[in-house]
Amino acid sequence: MTAAPAERGRTVVADRAVRRIAERAATEADLGGRRARVTHGTAAVHGRHADVRVDVRLPYPAALGETGERVRSRMADRVAELSGLTVRAATVRVQWLAAHRAAPSPHPADGAGPSRRARRPWSGRRVPAALVALVGTGACALLLYDVLAVHVAGRDPAAWRTDAVDWAATHGPGDTPVVAGGAVAAVLGAWLLWLALTPGLRGVLPMAPVPGSGPQRAVLERSAVAELLRDAGTAVPGVTDVRVRCGRRRVRVRARLGFGDRTTTRTAVRTATATTLDALGLTRPLKPRVTLRPEPHWRPPEPAPTAPPAEPGPVTGPPPLPKETDS
C-alpha cells in the first residue's frame, strides 16, 4: 500500500538557514540596552540535531560571563524554536570588545560563584584533514587509473609502478632508505595522532560556565584579553605605553613610565591588571607579571618643599608680680 502524497518525502533544514537564524538571534539578545554584533557564524545539521557557533563583538564595558550567557541562551532558544531542531552545542566566541557610552550591565546578584570545570573547545583540524584526504585521494586515483589501464585497455603497467615494485624487491628493512622512510612515516603518524588527541584552538581561553547554562560554553580570544589589559594599564596616570603578551596560563604586561612616582605607579598598574583579570571570568585565572620601566626622559619627582621653622619671638606672658617688702 502506497503512502498518501502528503506523507511522502521529508523536510530538510539546510546549514545555511540555521546559521542565519543563529546570527540573527545573537543580535537580538538584550544586553542592558545594547546589542552584540555578529562577525561570523557557522552551523552544522546532523539529522535532528544542530551545532551552531557565532563570533561576536560585545559592547565594552560589560560582565563577559553574564553577557555571553545571554547571547548563547537567546541563540539556542531561537534556533530550536524556529528550526525545530535540537541544539546540541551552542558556542559564542568573543573576538572584540567595542567601547560604548552606555552604562555596563549589572553583575549577577546571586552569590553563587561560577563553576570551574569548563575546558577549551576542540578544533575541527580542517586543514590537516583536508591535506591528508587530498594526498590519499590522489594516490588512490593514480593507482586505480593504472590498474584499469592494464586490465581494461591492455596497456603495460606504468614505469613508476614497476620501478617501485623492483625497488621494494631489492631493498630490505635494514637499508638506509627504508629506515629513513619508516622514520618519516612514524613522525607523520605521531603528528596526526597528536592532532587527533589534542583540543587545539590555542588562541582562545575558556570562560567559566554560568550556573544553569547546561552544555553551552563561551571562550575569549587572547587578543581581546590583551586589549583589555592594555586599556587598563594605559588608564593609570603616568603610563605612556603598555605592551601585553597573553599566553595560555600567564600574561606579561610591560609598561613605560613617563612621569610620577615609580613605586606608586607600579602598584597601580598591578592593581589594574589584577582587577581586569578577575572580571574576565576565565576558568583558569592567568598569572600576571608586570614590569614598569621609566622612559629616557623620566626624572624622579622632587620632594615637596617644607616650610622653614618659625624663628622664636619674644615671650609674652602675664606681668610679674610685685615683690613683697618688709614694712
Side-chain angles (χ1 to χ4, degrees):
M1 180 178 180
T2 59
E7 299 177 357
R8 301 173 188 172
R10 59 174 182 170
T11 301
V12 179
V13 181
D15 297 348
R16 181 179 179 182
V18 178
R19 175 179 61 84
R20 295 295 298 272
I21 295 175
E23 292 176 349
R24 183 62 180 270
T27 60
E28 295 175 354
D30 186 11
L31 308 179
R34 297 170 291 176
R35 301 291 179 181
R37 180 179 178 184
V38 178
T39 58
H40 181 68
T42 58
V45 179
H46 306 282
R48 302 301 303 173
H49 301 277
D51 299 335
V52 293
R53 188 188 72 181
V54 293
D55 300 340
V56 298
R57 177 180 296 181
L58 296 181
Y60 175 82
L64 295 180
E66 181 185 0
T67 305
E69 171 59 22
R70 290 183 180 179
V71 176
R72 292 195 308 270
S73 300
R74 179 64 179 180
M75 178 178 62
D77 295 342
R78 291 292 287 174
V79 170
E81 177 185 356
L82 298 180
S83 65
L85 303 175
T86 301
V87 179
R88 185 170 52 184
T91 306
V92 175
R93 296 179 58 184
V94 181
Q95 285 193 329
W96 199 258
L97 297 173
H100 200 278
R101 296 183 179 180
S105 57
H107 294 274
D110 54 352
S115 175
R116 295 291 176 180
R117 297 181 180 177
R119 296 182 179 180
R120 191 154 43 99
W122 285 70
S123 173
R125 307 292 192 184
R126 295 182 177 88
V127 175
L131 292 178
V132 173
L134 288 176
V135 172
T137 303
C140 293
L142 184 61
L143 180 60
L144 179 62
Y145 172 78
D146 186 64
V147 172
L148 291 178
V150 172
H151 293 279
V152 176
R155 299 178 183 178
D156 294 334
W160 61 268
R161 189 155 67 99
T162 56
D163 293 342
V165 173
D166 295 339
W167 185 89
T170 56
H171 290 76
D175 295 342
T176 303
V178 177
V179 175
V184 173
V187 171
L188 291 177
W191 177 62
L192 292 177
L193 287 176
W194 174 261
L195 294 180
L197 299 177
T198 54
L201 295 180
R202 300 177 62 88
V204 299
L205 300 173
M207 299 177 62
V210 178
S213 61
Q216 301 171 358
R217 298 293 182 266
V219 294
L220 189 61
E221 296 282 348
R222 289 196 293 181
S223 58
V225 176
E227 188 70 21
L228 287 174
L229 295 177
R230 189 179 299 110
D231 294 342
T234 308
V236 176
V239 176
T240 57
D241 182 33
V242 178
R243 297 183 180 182
V244 181
R245 184 177 181 181
C246 182
R248 292 176 53 193
R249 293 179 175 85
R250 295 177 179 85
V251 59
R252 184 179 180 87
V253 180
R254 299 179 180 178
R256 287 284 186 174
L257 178 61
F259 61 90
D261 183 69
R262 189 172 183 177
T263 304
T264 305
T265 307
R266 183 187 295 109
T267 303
V269 173
R270 290 178 178 176
T271 303
T273 301
T275 304
T276 304
L277 291 177
D278 292 341
L280 296 180
L282 299 177
T283 301
R284 178 180 297 177
L286 299 176
K287 297 180 179 179
R289 182 179 179 182
V290 180
T291 304
L292 181 65
R293 295 183 179 181
E295 296 282 2
H297 61 271
W298 176 82
R299 295 295 181 271
E302 298 180 358
T306 58
E311 297 182 357
V315 179
T316 60
L321 298 176
K323 296 183 179 180
E324 296 180 359
T325 56
D326 297 335
S327 55

